[in-house]
Amino acid sequence: MEQKKTPAFLNFIDVKTIGILFLMFLIAFIFWNTPLIYPIKLFVVILHEFSHGLVAVITGGQIDRIEIDYRVGGVCYFRGGNAFLSASAGYLGSIFWGGLILILAAKTKYDNIMGMIIGAFLVILSILYVRNMFGFFFTLLFGICLIIISYKASNYVLDLVMKFLGMTSCLYAIIDIKEDLISRTNIGSDADYIAQSLGWQKLSVPIGIIWIFIALLSFCIFLFIAGKNDEKKRN
């Protein structure tokens, strides 16, 4: 009896990883407006504001302070640096960090170490830069909890936690761009700032469309890398 050949495209994807990521997508979608996802949304806000500050520092500026709001918002105050690049770094930076977490979780076995590094980063960030009370305590406690979980839980559990954190971070970054820049639920966004600096306020929506296109393309690339089968199969 002739053995059935595996479809060619299955040789290039890790079916188990894709299945897990799809299940996580469903969980995130179902529980999007619940306390389960709320801390991750705030985590993405932290990544967003840190990305502003990081690019400001890289381009010669410095971070004054970061504030995180309980209503899932935030602001990064910085001086100097390239204002255009720093303003552009928030949305794109947050999806980049989320994608990096997703890829590292899918492609390495160092999830516990990664969790502790992210947790330590949050603790240090809260001490050095987060200056409002809610933002300070949330960032500090989220970091401490992540360190404890990373130390106590098995690597398998941390692998799922990191994948879910990375996946949901990417999703929220994309939704955040849409709500702020296309649905216009938040006038005064990063794109508005850039449009004002260019002298044409109407540019804010086109800028948002460009950013969401880049974000969606990046997310697809991250998923492809995370779900790619590294082992060549032969039938």
Side-chain angles (χ1 to χ4, degrees):
M1 184 176 180
E2 187 180 349
Q3 187 179 2
K4 265 191 175 180
K5 287 188 176 181
T6 305
F9 74 92
L10 291 179
N11 291 335
F12 298 98
I13 64 171
D14 185 334
V15 178
K16 181 180 178 181
T17 298
I18 292 296
I20 290 173
L21 293 178
F22 179 72
L23 180 60
M24 288 179 176
F25 178 87
L26 288 180
I27 292 172
F29 178 79
I30 293 169
F31 295 97
W32 191 251
N33 293 313
T34 70
L36 175 66
I37 307 298
Y38 177 71
I40 301 179
K41 291 180 179 180
L42 287 172
F43 173 70
V44 178
V45 172
I46 295 170
L47 297 180
H48 179 113
E49 303 308 334
F50 169 72
S51 297
H52 283 310
L54 178 63
V55 172
V57 171
I58 291 173
T59 56
Q62 65 181 59
I63 301 172
D64 283 339
R65 70 184 187 276
I66 292 173
E67 296 180 3
I68 306 298
D69 192 275
Y70 72 94
R71 292 166 294 188
V72 197
V75 60
C76 177
Y77 296 93
F78 57 87
R79 287 178 289 167
N82 186 299
F84 179 84
L85 293 178
S86 299
S88 302
Y91 294 109
L92 302 182
S94 56
I95 195 169
F96 168 78
W97 296 119
L100 183 61
I101 292 170
L102 176 61
I103 290 172
L104 289 177
K107 294 302 179 183
T108 73
K109 297 181 179 179
Y110 304 110
D111 301 278
N112 294 80
I113 296 173
M114 180 167 61
M116 285 188 272
I117 289 173
I118 295 172
F121 157 75
L122 293 175
V123 171
I124 293 170
L125 187 70
S126 68
I127 294 171
L128 292 180
Y129 295 115
V130 183
R131 289 294 174 264
N132 68 312
M133 186 174 293
F134 172 82
F136 173 78
F137 282 109
F138 174 82
T139 306
L140 179 68
L141 293 175
F142 193 89
I144 291 173
C145 289
L146 197 53
I147 291 172
I148 294 172
I149 293 171
S150 300
Y151 180 75
K152 294 287 187 182
S154 67
N155 193 69
Y156 177 76
V157 171
L158 254 295
D159 179 65
L160 296 177
V161 170
M162 289 294 107
K163 283 175 181 173
F164 189 70
L165 186 63
M167 164 73 79
T168 312
S169 295
C170 288
L171 287 174
Y172 183 64
I174 294 170
I175 292 171
D176 197 28
I177 296 172
K178 174 189 173 293
E179 293 299 314
D180 282 1
L181 309 179
I182 298 177
S183 300
R184 311 304 292 162
T185 60
N186 182 19
I187 305 301
S189 64
D190 298 338
D192 290 316
Y193 173 80
I194 292 175
Q196 287 173 9
S197 68
L198 294 174
W200 192 9
Q201 187 61 42
K202 291 183 179 179
L203 279 176
S204 60
V205 172
I207 289 171
I209 292 172
I210 292 171
W211 282 354
I212 201 167
F213 174 78
I214 294 172
L216 286 169
L217 179 62
S218 300
F219 186 43
C220 291
I221 293 172
F222 295 146
L223 288 177
F224 173 77
I225 296 173
K228 188 172 179 294
N229 194 347
D230 293 328
E231 295 179 5
K232 294 182 179 179
K233 295 180 182 177
R234 293 289 183 269
N235 291 322

